[in-house]
Amino acid sequence: MIAVGLTACGGGEAGSDVAQIEIRPVGDEMRFEQTEFTVKPGQQVRLVFVNTATSPAMQHNVVILTDPNAVDRVGTAAMEAGEANEYVPTDEAILAHTSLAAPGETVEVTFTAPSEPGDYKYICTFPGHYVMMQGTMRVAA
Ligand code: CU
């Protein structure tokens, strides 16, 4: 009994280990200001997207992908998914995504980082944006 109690004490700080990530667009451009961030394998990630754009056409989201080769597929499928789905298609490569943020809006999503270290892509799937609007989530111990 005593031995079990002592062992459990070792993991006491796990709850505070959440990566806080904030991403903004570059003005009214189809670009993320933060094109790279690093988290630990399996870490909880709270990603906040602040849409600081002012042009009505600059609606954005952040869609995180498990497969770097899925960028074109997801970006293209997003147009067919349409406004009703906030331009997020159903695709196995989508790890997490925010809702669509109009200019002036802030959205967020909390997810668990992949356990596999490596570089993961995130894109904005609003029609026409994903080719320019990309970033890299680096998962490293
Ligand atoms: Cu966008």
Side-chain angles (χ1 to χ4, degrees):
M1 282 294 279
I2 292 168
V4 170
L6 288 172
T7 305
C9 285
E13 293 170 11
S16 60
D17 189 28
V18 178
Q20 306 273 354
I21 308 296
E22 186 172 304
I23 297 178
R24 297 160 183 261
V26 177
D28 280 333
E29 296 179 40
M30 288 177 246
R31 283 201 291 147
F32 289 122
E33 190 176 292
Q34 290 77 15
T35 55
E36 194 181 303
F37 65 85
T38 302
V39 296
K40 296 176 202 153
Q43 188 175 25
Q44 285 289 108
V45 182
R46 177 171 175 253
L47 188 154
V48 176
F49 177 73
V50 184
N51 192 354
T52 52
T54 54
S55 166
M58 288 298 121
Q59 299 184 52
H60 304 300
N61 61 12
V62 182
V63 178
I64 299 135
L65 304 175
T66 55
D67 177 2
N69 298 316
V71 168
D72 284 327
R73 184 180 76 222
V74 172
T76 304
M79 271 180 270
E80 287 176 32
E83 196 176 358
N85 295 301
E86 298 197 324
Y87 304 106
V88 177
T90 300
D91 193 292
E92 60 185 9
I94 296 176
L95 175 67
H97 68 87
T98 69
S99 53
L100 196 61
E105 283 185 343
T106 296
V107 293
E108 67 171 82
V109 62
T110 299
F111 61 95
T112 305
S115 54
E116 189 82 10
D119 288 350
Y120 296 82
K121 290 274 182 205
Y122 55 92
I123 60 175
C124 168
T125 59
F126 191 76
H129 288 201
Y130 82 90
V131 174
M132 292 282 297
M133 208 160 180
Q134 301 186 7
T136 301
M137 175 176 76
R138 190 151 286 163
V139 177

